[in-house]
């Protein structure tokens, strides 16, 4: 790469038509509500396997009354917009339409569409069940999408903006009759970047009345994710109160235990270790595998067990990325670096800018 050409990248793209955040923010509500795809600049961005102009046709098929066509379109959208854990800029443009389609779709289609929305707005996290990674959303600033040179974190920010604009569509889904929809709705709401007190209050209110084990854990992790990102100092005490209360259902205590470990850097207390390593906890592997945060930890169906093992046994190491272009020095922990290299190896066209070297210490 020519250093003169890229010396001020990506700052010179901020707010331009190459900045997917600006593009998504500029889509009028009437365009989104009316599914007026032709007024969205899909051509500016590619998906993982072709031009962005292909996405509106898939969205239209997804919204159609033809169940077979809708299912096929959703499979193609997953492949095009979330390949092997990676996300891509044009996916953020699709988020407002995916949310509107999900709001009126049949339960199974609704849940899988919402899950795609959440994954478009999240860093590559496959296999990362660490205390640092489980609730992490932002991507490393040096990660780019190779076909557009767009920073991957810009895509994530744009998707999260779109989610925040459409909270009025998502919040009612916390009361959906289908528990899978409620669970995934919590997963999406955890990505909100505005009206945080309102969102957290809605999640807490739902948790107080929720009777489904899977949904309870999803609500707890969603509350914790928002609290962690926005540094809610009261959240650790809340989580500890849940996992230490012997009168709470086991899944609530397990979910709150994971949340607490993600909210603090303290060593796990003996009583929490006893809870999470108790043989009785193993029976919850299958039950809680569909919890969105745990699904990606281990595809063989032991996401909970893998997560517990990593949180209780992994050594946390810090890594420094030396920037030879003179931009900045970034300190990363071991789990973050692992996720970065997984993304480099899995998402077609994704790569890290510059010839940085990693050294652990």
């Amino acid at each position: 790469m020519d250093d003169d050409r890229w010396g001020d990248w990506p700052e010179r793209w901020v707010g331009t038509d190459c900045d997917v955040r600006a593009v998504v923010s500029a889509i009028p509500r009437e365009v989104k509500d009316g599914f007026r795809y032709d007024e969205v600049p899909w051509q500016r961005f590619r998906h993982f396997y072709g031009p962005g102009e292909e996405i509106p046709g898939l969205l239209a098929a997804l919204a159609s009354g033809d169940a077979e066509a809708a299912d096929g379109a959703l499979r193609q959208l997953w492949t095009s917009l979330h390949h092997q854990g990676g996300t891509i800029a044009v996916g953020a443009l699709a988020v407002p339409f995916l949310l509107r389609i999900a709001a009126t779709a049949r339960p199974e289609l609704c849940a899988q569409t919402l899950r795609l929305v959440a994954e478009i707005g999240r860093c590559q996290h496959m296999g990362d069940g660490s205390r640092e990674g489980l609730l992490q959303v932002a991507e490393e600033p040096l990660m780019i999408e190779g076909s557009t040179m767009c920073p991957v974190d810009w895509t994530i920010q744009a998707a999260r903006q779109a989610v925040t604009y459409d909270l009025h569509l998502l919040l009612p889904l916390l009361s959906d009759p289908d528990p899978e929809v409620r669970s995934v709705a919590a997963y999406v709401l955890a990505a909100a970047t505005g009206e945080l007190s309102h969102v957290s209050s809605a999640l807490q209110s739902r948790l107080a009345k929720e009777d489904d084990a899977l949904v309870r854990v999803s609500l707890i992790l969603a509350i914790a994710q928002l609290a962690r990102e926005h540094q809610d100092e009261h959240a650790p005490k809340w989580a500890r109160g849940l996992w230490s209360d012997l009168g709470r259902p086991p899944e609530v205590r397990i979910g709150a235990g994971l949340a607490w470990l993600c909210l603090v850097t303290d060593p796990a207390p003996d009583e929490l270790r006893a809870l999470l390593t108790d043989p009785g906890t193993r029976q919850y592997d299958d039950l809680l595998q569909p919890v969105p945060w745990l699904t990606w930890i281990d595809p063989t169906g032991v996401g909970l067990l893998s997560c517990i093992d990593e949180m209780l046994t992994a050594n946390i190491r810090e890594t420094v990325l030396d920037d030879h272009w003179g931009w900045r020095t970034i300190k990363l922990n071991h789990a973050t670096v692992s996720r970065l290299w997984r993304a480099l190896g899995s998402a077609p066209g994704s790569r890290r800018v510059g010839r940085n070297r990693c050294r652990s210490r």
Side-chain angles (χ1 to χ4, degrees):
M1 296 174 69
D2 186 335
D3 285 4
D4 291 336
R5 178 184 177 191
W6 296 99
D8 58 353
W9 179 94
E11 287 78 8
R12 66 185 179 88
W13 284 11
V14 173
T16 72
D17 59 5
C18 294
D19 185 344
V20 69
R21 300 168 299 180
V23 176
V24 170
S25 296
I27 302 175
R29 181 162 179 175
E30 58 269 21
V31 169
K32 295 183 281 190
D33 289 344
F35 294 92
R36 287 150 51 179
Y37 300 124
D38 59 334
E39 297 184 38
V40 177
W42 306 95
Q43 72 280 359
R44 293 183 192 170
F45 306 97
R46 292 180 55 82
H47 63 75
F48 280 118
Y49 293 104
E53 293 96 324
E54 296 178 350
I55 300 302
L58 295 174
L59 292 171
L62 181 63
S64 72
D66 185 330
E68 184 176 353
D71 290 342
L74 184 57
R75 287 193 296 271
Q76 285 187 259
L77 284 165
W78 269 96
T79 300
S80 300
L81 304 180
H82 187 256
H83 180 81
Q84 295 182 4
T87 188
I88 197 163
V90 74
L93 272 67
V95 165
F97 302 104
L98 290 169
L99 288 173
R100 283 158 176 76
I101 293 168
T104 59
R106 67 183 190 276
E108 181 181 358
L109 191 68
C110 173
Q112 291 305 311
T113 302
L114 288 176
R115 193 181 288 261
L116 175 58
V117 167
E119 298 301 340
I120 291 171
R122 183 170 178 149
C123 62
Q124 212 280 31
H125 59 105
M126 295 173 70
D128 189 352
S130 67
R131 296 175 69 170
E132 305 81 26
L134 184 66
L135 303 183
Q136 177 68 30
V137 181
E139 188 54 272
E140 306 308 329
L142 293 182
M143 179 67 73
I144 65 169
E145 191 286 300
S147 66
T148 63
M149 296 302 295
C150 184
V152 175
D153 198 51
W154 286 12
T155 296
I156 293 169
Q157 292 175 37
R160 298 181 69 189
Q161 289 171 5
V163 165
T164 304
Y165 294 153
D166 287 328
L167 289 176
H168 65 287
L169 298 174
L170 285 163
L171 290 170
L173 296 178
L174 289 176
S175 300
D176 192 271
D178 187 273
E180 184 181 7
V181 171
R182 299 198 300 274
S183 174
V184 183
Y187 191 42
V188 180
L189 285 166
T193 58
E195 298 187 44
L196 299 174
S197 61
H198 182 42
V199 174
S200 293
S201 177
L203 293 167
Q204 291 275 12
S205 178
R206 183 67 229 178
L207 178 61
K209 65 183 82 169
E210 184 58 58
D211 59 4
D212 184 273
L214 187 152
V215 182
R216 282 171 170 164
V217 175
S218 291
L219 290 165
I220 289 169
L221 293 178
I223 294 166
Q225 182 171 306
L226 288 170
R228 178 181 184 271
E229 184 171 19
H230 300 283
Q231 301 179 337
D232 181 351
E233 60 184 12
H234 303 292
K237 182 178 180 180
W238 162 79
R240 183 163 191 148
L242 289 179
W243 68 252
S244 63
D245 185 348
L246 300 179
R248 297 279 183 177
E251 73 277 359
V252 169
R253 299 186 65 211
I254 293 168
L258 298 181
W260 185 87
L261 287 168
C262 293
L263 289 168
V264 302
T265 57
D266 305 4
D270 290 343
E271 56 267 39
L272 179 55
R273 284 183 172 274
L275 167 66
L276 296 180
T277 59
D278 188 289
T281 300
R282 291 294 303 271
Q283 66 182 302
Y284 289 91
D285 272 335
D286 289 340
L287 176 66
L288 299 182
Q289 181 68 15
V291 170
W293 286 266
L294 300 178
T295 300
W296 296 99
I297 303 305
D298 190 309
T300 65
V302 291
L304 175 61
L305 179 62
S306 298
C307 192
I308 290 172
D309 285 347
E310 186 165 3
M311 287 192 179
L312 295 183
T313 63
N315 292 320
I316 300 172
R317 300 198 306 272
E318 183 179 79
T319 297
V320 175
L321 293 185
D322 292 331
D323 177 14
H324 295 288
W325 286 10
W327 290 352
R328 58 184 74 88
T329 296
I330 302 174
K331 293 184 178 181
L332 308 173
N333 58 48
H334 177 64
T336 301
V337 172
S338 296
R339 191 179 71 248
L340 177 59
W341 290 115
R342 280 198 301 274
L344 285 170
S346 64
S350 294
R351 55 197 176 108
R352 185 168 55 109
V353 175
R355 294 170 296 173
N356 299 305
R357 57 188 174 86
C358 294
R359 72 172 184 271
S360 297
R361 66 182 184 187

